[in-house]
Amino acid sequence: MRSLPKLVGLLGGVCAVAAWPAEARAVTASVPVRVPSLAGEAVTFDLTIGDAVGPVQVRWDMGDETRTEFTVDDLQQVHTYAAPGHYPVLATVKDDVGFTSVSFVHTVHRPLVTGSAAGSTDLVYDQPSARVYTANYENDSVSVLDASALTRLAEVPVARGPVGLALAAQGKLWVLHRDAHAISIIDTASLSVESEIALPYASQPMGLAISPTGDAAYVTLMAVGKVLKLDVASGAVVAELSLGGTPRGVSVSHDGSQIYVTRFISEDSHGEVARIDAATFQVSARFALAADTTTEDTDQQGRGLPNYLFSVGLSPDGAFAWVPGKKDNIFRGPFRDQLALTDDNTVRPLVALLNLAEGVEDVARRIDMDDRNLPNQVVFTPLGDFAFISVAGSALVEVRDAYTGEFVTALKETGFAPRGLALTETNKLFVHASLSRAVAVYDVADIVSSHDLITRKLTEVPTVAVEKLDPQVLRGKQLFFNSADIRMSDQGYISCASCHFDGAEDGRVWDFGSAGEGLRNTVSLLGRRGTGHGNVNWSGSFDEIQDSDDNIRHLFGGKGFLSAEQLAVGTVGTPRGDKKAGLSPELDALAAFLGSLDTYRPSPFRDPDGSLTEDGVAGRAIFERLGCGFCHTGPDGTDSARGKLHDVGTVKPSSGMRAGEPLLGIDTPTLNGVWETAPYLHDGSAPTLRDVLVTANPEDRHAFISGLSEAELGQLIAYVQQLDGTVDAEPSDGEAGEAPSEVGGLFGCSAAGGLSDRRAPLLTFALVAGLMSIGARRRRPS
């Protein structure tokens, strides 16, 4: 079978050849009735002839390598296609005067299931009322659009951070709130919030889907690794499943019997989608999305680990699930395979296809989308023969042949960060351009009917009346996501959001040896206020966010936002050189956006009221007693603002350099928010906080851990897991004391000899650490 673009070109070429000569086309032909057919079932094509002179001969090409010879009055063809696909049918007709032909694309599909699947999304279409609803995350509202008039009807204020929508019976719209950890229920008649359902504190609910049977709703809690089953009528939680990992996207099969959940952040070995039996609410299968370690890295393909698995799109035939995400090439780099990272082979877009009957990924059909960034949602045409994929980082929607996976066309000019999609019965595709605060509407009737590749953008409907974000901050976030701008990425693969989606981190360790660094664990940007903590990056290699133009030009392959003339002035072209602030409105906007990230996500390890647990309180006392607050000091939990670097025994040859210069130590990271940023340390070598304190700290150079009992160690870890910027350690002498040396401590401070009690008071510890800054570091005596 052939993809639709090739078919259209082929048919156009055949028709041009068949129409010779122009004056000899007395005979006419048409196939007036053309309807799709099922694979394995016979379909009949009837040819209507007009203006013939003499006997008529017909030759049929069915598009599947089946062809007849010219036969008199062969006006009907009955044919059975073995497989689904888009087949170019060509009937060539000749009489005593000349030739003509008729051609079209015939769609063959699989048997369709009854009803439609449901999936988590930030845009939903309500057919009975002809309305479209969008969740507006930063603006804490839900917009209501008229799907016929293509206008905004209303904007409904809701609780903080709406990320998902689902329609229930009796005109109820469920709204999922990540930041408020709750569900609001809007009455669509009055457009008012009539009730709320509280969800577990700090659980980060991210996915919401209501079963097509209407009796159950499913919610993923990304922070705590759980999935909830709620009764739709009462809102009560009727079942809870500990799934592990970071569950995000959730979809429910057409009959409500199966639930599919993605793990957003993958392990280093594979990505994962879990299938849950709705009746027992137990995992029935886990689809492993294998890391690709063998594909040759080229400009059109590459290795990588499936990660950022956003959602699950279930095909209308119930046979496959499409899972969009990205591939992280953690197998490449000077310290790994001696190959430098390139803009083509650092991150690549991914769509994995799951064979639902066999319970495995169809690896041979995995789609590596070329020159794209961050695909995140999939919807299908009614027959399931085409897939629409929103590509958030590329500001477009890509159309793929669902049977071959081949590219068909792209719907461009969607606006920034397109996410939710909805296809209506009138063949309008609604696209939520979340960072343009608009819904783009396209006429895709010709694609749905397999008639042509023509699409028309009808309009853009604004969703937000009054924007809450500062204009410069919003512009910075748009730039942060957008790889379609060649200044950000020449090939379109990478933007800042590729590794820091929504400002967070991707759980990966990258080999940045070719960028003058080393193995580097992706850092969350949340709560850091740009340079609010001091220099940025593990090596403190940048002293302003505008220095990221260096990464954009050398790692992203972008043209950069500074001109060659600007970079040639003084030391502007050098990280930590002359200031870049004020030279580029775009870089300043990026800095403004990162500067606005001033809060951490609340820790789910705290008590439900947000207070420290009993172990957390005890752990805080141990934290203070060990002197951890000397380096992890103040409200930000870091001494980074002092500009000092520390080696607590974790710097290795693979730690590389500091922007091409010798690496003397590591910048102190904040401990706020570390509960959700595993793995730990600059090279990700510590999978857990216990590994940080024990495995990676054998000589107590990081903190005096060997003197703690197991119970005390557990309490210290409990405290660190609860640090989220809302309760800080008691003020420490470290804030006013002498800064530690270039080889001082990181998690606490470097251990030195002379202390008879490793749990000495903080003041004594600070004094010793201060003396250490004068002399050379010495190993603690055994």
Side-chain angles (χ1 to χ4, degrees):
M1 72 194 78
R2 303 181 178 94
S3 64
L4 189 57
K6 295 178 181 176
L7 300 185
V8 172
L10 174 64
L11 293 178
V14 169
C15 291
V17 172
W20 25 231
E23 62 271 18
R25 295 184 60 188
V27 63
T28 62
S30 66
V31 179
V33 178
R34 304 193 299 265
V35 295
S37 64
L38 286 171
E41 292 189 1
V43 59
T44 301
F45 302 115
D46 289 306
L47 191 63
T48 300
I49 302 296
D51 302 322
V53 178
V56 172
Q57 298 182 66
V58 181
R59 182 179 66 197
W60 292 86
D61 185 335
M62 307 310 297
D64 61 352
E65 300 183 356
T66 301
R67 175 189 262 193
T68 69
E69 296 300 326
F70 276 109
T71 305
V72 175
D73 292 336
D74 187 9
L75 304 184
Q76 184 181 82
Q77 190 67 210
V78 179
H79 189 70
T80 299
Y81 292 92
H86 300 101
Y87 295 92
V89 178
L90 173 66
T92 304
V93 181
K94 67 178 181 177
D95 64 1
D96 288 347
V97 175
F99 293 79
T100 191
S101 65
V102 58
S103 60
F104 57 91
V105 174
H106 178 68
T107 300
V108 180
H109 61 92
R110 298 186 184 94
L112 304 178
V113 298
T114 302
S116 300
S120 49
T121 178
D122 65 356
L123 177 149
V124 294
Y125 169 61
D126 183 21
Q127 181 176 349
S129 66
R131 286 180 174 178
V132 169
Y133 300 91
T134 66
N136 308 318
Y137 178 70
E138 289 96 349
N139 286 283
D140 302 330
S141 67
V142 170
S143 294
V144 187
L145 312 183
D146 186 316
S148 299
L150 304 181
T151 58
R152 185 180 68 223
L153 298 175
E155 186 179 356
V156 183
V158 294
R160 290 183 299 114
V163 292
L165 302 174
L167 287 163
Q170 289 81 46
K172 307 301 180 186
L173 177 68
W174 286 39
V175 185
L176 186 68
H177 300 275
R178 180 180 194 171
D179 297 344
H181 35 267
I183 294 173
S184 299
I185 300 179
I186 294 177
D187 179 87
T188 57
S190 63
L191 293 182
S192 61
V193 177
E194 64 176 25
S195 62
E196 290 189 355
I197 302 170
L199 297 173
Y201 173 78
S203 56
Q204 283 191 51
M206 283 301 298
L208 166 67
I210 293 179
S211 172
T213 59
D215 58 341
Y218 300 95
V219 177
T220 58
L221 306 179
M222 196 163 75
V224 295
K226 294 181 179 180
V227 181
L228 302 182
K229 181 177 183 179
L230 281 67
D231 178 80
V232 172
S234 66
V237 176
V238 296
E240 177 182 297
L241 175 62
S242 292
L243 199 60
T246 48
R248 184 178 179 121
V250 56
S251 292
V252 189
S253 62
H254 67 286
D255 58 1
S257 65
Q258 306 293 326
I259 304 104
Y260 296 87
V261 178
T262 68
R263 179 174 182 171
F264 188 57
I265 304 294
S266 301
E267 298 178 356
D268 280 346
S269 57
H270 65 281
E272 185 176 278
V273 176
R275 178 162 60 191
I276 302 168
D277 180 87
T280 63
F281 209 56
Q282 296 296 315
V283 175
S284 59
R286 290 184 184 268
F287 295 81
L289 278 59
D292 182 352
T293 61
T294 60
T295 296
E296 181 184 2
D297 291 344
T298 70
D299 61 349
Q300 295 185 345
Q301 62 181 21
R303 296 170 290 170
L305 170 75
N307 197 19
Y308 276 3
L309 305 181
F310 287 96
S311 60
V312 178
L314 297 173
S315 61
D317 53 28
F320 288 91
W322 288 42
V323 182
K326 67 166 180 166
K327 287 197 302 184
D328 293 332
N329 199 345
I330 58 173
F331 314 110
R332 187 178 177 109
F335 293 102
R336 287 172 169 160
D337 66 354
Q338 292 75 57
L339 295 175
L341 290 176
T342 68
D343 54 321
D344 282 301
N345 291 111
T346 300
V347 294
R348 297 187 67 90
L350 158 85
V351 180
L353 274 66
L354 311 183
N355 186 316
L356 302 184
E358 298 181 8
V360 295
E361 181 194 0
D362 190 340
V363 178
R365 296 184 62 197
R366 181 182 286 184
I367 300 172
D368 188 331
M369 303 169 72
D370 200 28
D371 300 336
R372 302 288 189 249
N373 179 34
L374 294 173
N376 61 95
Q377 189 164 359
V378 180
V379 299
F380 295 90
T381 52
L383 295 178
D385 58 331
F386 291 109
F388 296 93
I389 308 168
S390 60
V391 190
S394 302
L396 56 78
V397 173
E398 193 166 283
V399 186
R400 291 265 169 171
D401 186 311
Y403 302 131
T404 66
E406 293 185 356
F407 173 80
V408 174
T409 190
L411 312 182
K412 298 186 177 181
E413 300 179 357
T414 61
F416 293 109
R419 296 195 186 184
L421 303 172
L423 180 62
T424 73
E425 74 285 356
T426 59
N427 298 322
K428 293 187 180 71
L429 183 71
F430 288 80
V431 183
H432 185 200
S434 58
L435 292 183
S436 288
R437 313 310 198 212
V439 170
V441 188
Y442 296 85
D443 180 349
V444 294
D446 284 342
I447 290 179
V448 173
S449 65
S450 299
H451 178 70
D452 209 329
L453 304 183
I454 296 173
T455 62
R456 291 187 301 123
K457 184 176 179 180
L458 301 177
T459 190
E460 285 185 5
V461 185
T463 55
V464 174
V466 179
E467 174 62 46
K468 287 188 175 182
L469 291 188
D470 177 88
Q472 190 181 35
V473 171
L474 178 58
R475 177 59 180 147
K477 189 168 186 179
Q478 292 170 344
L479 291 162
F480 188 85
F481 268 82
N482 188 30
S483 64
D485 188 332
I486 61 172
R487 295 174 298 178
M488 176 67 75
S489 176
D490 183 49
Q491 298 298 315
Y493 288 111
I494 310 178
S495 66
C496 307
S498 299
C499 298
H500 299 281
F501 194 81
D502 286 340
E505 47 84 41
D506 59 4
R508 301 278 73 83
V509 177
W510 297 95
D511 185 346
F512 289 145
S514 56
E517 294 282 324
L519 297 186
R520 295 291 183 266
N521 184 10
T522 305
V523 173
S524 173
L525 307 177
L526 301 179
R528 293 173 180 261
R529 308 187 308 282
T531 55
H533 291 184
N535 288 357
V536 297
N537 298 332
W538 282 102
S539 64
S541 56
F542 293 168
D543 62 358
E544 55 181 336
I545 298 302
Q546 287 85 347
D547 279 333
S548 61
D549 192 67
D550 187 70
N551 279 344
I552 290 170
R553 286 181 286 110
H554 296 117
L555 184 61
F556 295 13
K559 304 300 183 185
F561 293 98
L562 294 173
S563 67
E565 291 75 15
Q566 289 174 311
L567 292 169
V569 174
T571 57
V572 169
T574 304
R576 306 188 312 280
D578 292 339
K579 292 299 181 183
K580 298 179 178 67
L583 300 180
S584 163
E586 291 82 7
L587 290 176
D588 290 347
L590 278 171
F593 167 59
L594 266 64
S596 74
L597 302 179
D598 56 1
T599 58
Y600 307 90
R601 293 180 181 135
S603 170
F605 291 92
R606 290 174 175 263
D607 278 332
D609 64 355
S611 63
L612 292 177
T613 65
E614 185 177 341
D615 278 350
V617 172
R620 179 168 63 182
I622 296 169
F623 185 91
E624 296 166 357
R625 192 172 71 203
L626 292 179
C628 302
F630 188 86
C631 294
H632 297 285
T633 186
D636 291 327
T638 174
D639 65 354
S640 179
R642 298 170 179 164
K644 297 296 183 179
L645 302 176
H646 312 288
D647 180 4
V648 294
T650 60
V651 175
K652 312 162 189 173
S654 60
S655 300
M657 307 182 76
R658 184 196 193 203
E661 301 171 356
L663 178 68
L664 301 178
I666 299 298
D667 185 73
T668 305
T670 181
L671 299 180
N672 290 323
V674 299
W675 64 269
E676 65 171 344
T677 60
Y680 301 106
L681 301 181
H682 71 278
D683 59 358
S685 58
T688 67
L689 290 173
R690 182 184 179 88
D691 289 312
V692 173
L693 296 169
V694 179
T695 309
N697 185 34
E699 298 180 342
D700 281 350
R701 289 174 62 182
H702 201 161
F704 296 117
I705 298 301
S706 61
L708 299 180
S709 67
E710 277 298 315
E712 289 174 318
L713 178 61
Q715 290 169 335
L716 177 60
I717 292 173
Y719 172 62
V720 174
Q721 286 178 319
Q722 295 173 48
L723 289 172
D724 58 10
T726 54
V727 175
D728 303 315
E730 294 297 324
S732 70
D733 293 341
E735 292 192 53
E738 176 70 26
S741 72
E742 292 281 330
V743 290
L746 176 61
F747 188 85
C749 281
S750 179
L755 288 181
S756 59
D757 182 1
R758 294 192 183 98
R759 293 170 289 177
L762 176 59
L763 182 59
T764 303
F765 182 88
L767 175 61
V768 173
L771 292 173
M772 286 169 53
S773 68
I774 301 174
R777 174 177 53 80
R778 294 171 294 183
R779 176 175 296 183
R780 182 179 61 84
S782 59

